[in-house]
Amino acid sequence: MGGEPDDGDLLRAVGAGDSEALGVLYDRHAGWLFARLARRCGDPETVREVLQDTFVTVWRSAASHRGGEAGGWLWVIAARRLVDAERARARAERADRAEAEHEPGTVAPSAEERVLAGLEYGDVGAALDRISPELREVLRATVVDGLTTRETARLLGIPEGTVKSRAARARKELRAALDGIAPMGGTA
């Protein structure tokens, strides 16, 4: 039963304006993307919006895909869209808090939201930007998303041993990048 296009073929077709190829790509990847996004965000409506934004972005930028594992590329887009949604929500919450400063007990961002924001902004985000995309993908999958080595290997389309070696290299490079940005007090 051959003949089913692979993800690369689908992305090339989407890049050429084939909406049916986008539908096939969506059917193939939306389920796991939704599940992964839901692990990072507890609001199902936000997850649905982010998933929709992800595939709108795929529609607009499929022609720029350079080959390689489509799943990893889709996840990077989805994760960025989730961060954008979290930023917008945080801005709205800050505006609401500013209006209602006199009310004690306003909802503060969760610890996970603060950590995720720290990964995009600040020293950790700057350090992540300094390491290669391949290493960054492995770190985000294993550390941020909490995937196992096997799950990360399957998602990124690389062997498990490669995941392990990239994770070790990524941690080493991240430490070096962090030391270059903001030396930790008292540690060398």
Side-chain angles (χ1 to χ4, degrees), residues 3-14 18-33 55 58-59 70 74:
E4 189 166 318
D6 68 15
D7 289 344
D9 294 335
L10 289 172
L11 283 170
R12 282 186 289 283
V14 171
D18 184 343
S19 61
E20 287 182 26
L22 181 65
V24 172
L25 199 64
Y26 180 90
D27 291 343
R28 194 176 284 177
H29 293 281
W32 71 263
L33 280 169
F55 281 93
V58 168
W59 175 253
L74 290 168

Side-chain angles (χ1 to χ4, degrees), residues 135-184:
L135 300 180
R136 193 168 42 241
E137 278 182 339
V138 168
L139 266 187
R140 285 198 167 129
T142 57
V143 176
V144 176
D145 298 323
L147 298 180
T148 65
T149 300
R150 176 172 289 149
E151 290 168 332
T152 301
R154 191 171 41 233
L155 171 71
L156 300 177
I158 58 177
E160 289 182 39
T162 302
V163 170
K164 291 176 183 177
S165 64
R166 283 185 184 175
R169 208 166 82 226
R171 286 183 181 99
K172 181 179 178 184
E173 287 187 23
L174 185 61
R175 274 192 293 275
L178 281 169
D179 286 344
I181 292 170
M184 304 290 175

Side-chain angles (χ1 to χ4, degrees), residues 43-180:
D43 178 20
E45 184 60 32
T46 299
V47 172
R48 282 189 287 277
E49 289 174 12
V50 166
L51 189 62
Q52 180 180 355
D53 289 348
T54 297
F55 281 93
V56 168
T57 301
V58 168
W59 175 253
R60 291 179 181 153
S61 61
S64 70
H65 183 257
R66 296 183 187 152
E69 179 61 33
W73 186 68
L74 290 168
W75 175 245
V76 168
I77 293 169
R80 287 180 181 159
R81 292 299 157 262
L82 181 59
V83 168
D84 291 344
E86 292 292 331
R87 286 180 195 153
R89 189 175 56 74
R91 279 192 300 270
E93 286 178 359
R94 281 193 303 273
D96 289 347
R97 278 195 299 270
E99 287 180 20
E101 273 185 358
H102 66 279
E103 289 182 36
T106 54
V107 178
S110 71
E112 182 180 36
E113 290 166 343
R114 290 191 305 267
V115 168
L116 290 175
L119 290 177
E120 285 297 316
Y121 305 110
D123 293 344
V124 175
L128 279 171
D129 286 342
R130 291 181 179 191
I131 66 174
S132 73
E134 296 83 18
L135 300 180
R136 193 168 42 241
E137 278 182 339
V138 168
L139 266 187
R140 285 198 167 129
T142 57
V143 176
V144 176
D145 298 323
L147 298 180
T148 65
T149 300
R150 176 172 289 149
E151 290 168 332
T152 301
R154 191 171 41 233
L155 171 71
L156 300 177
I158 58 177
E160 289 182 39
T162 302
V163 170
K164 291 176 183 177
S165 64
R166 283 185 184 175
R169 208 166 82 226
R171 286 183 181 99
K172 181 179 178 184
E173 287 187 23
L174 185 61
R175 274 192 293 275
L178 281 169
D179 286 344

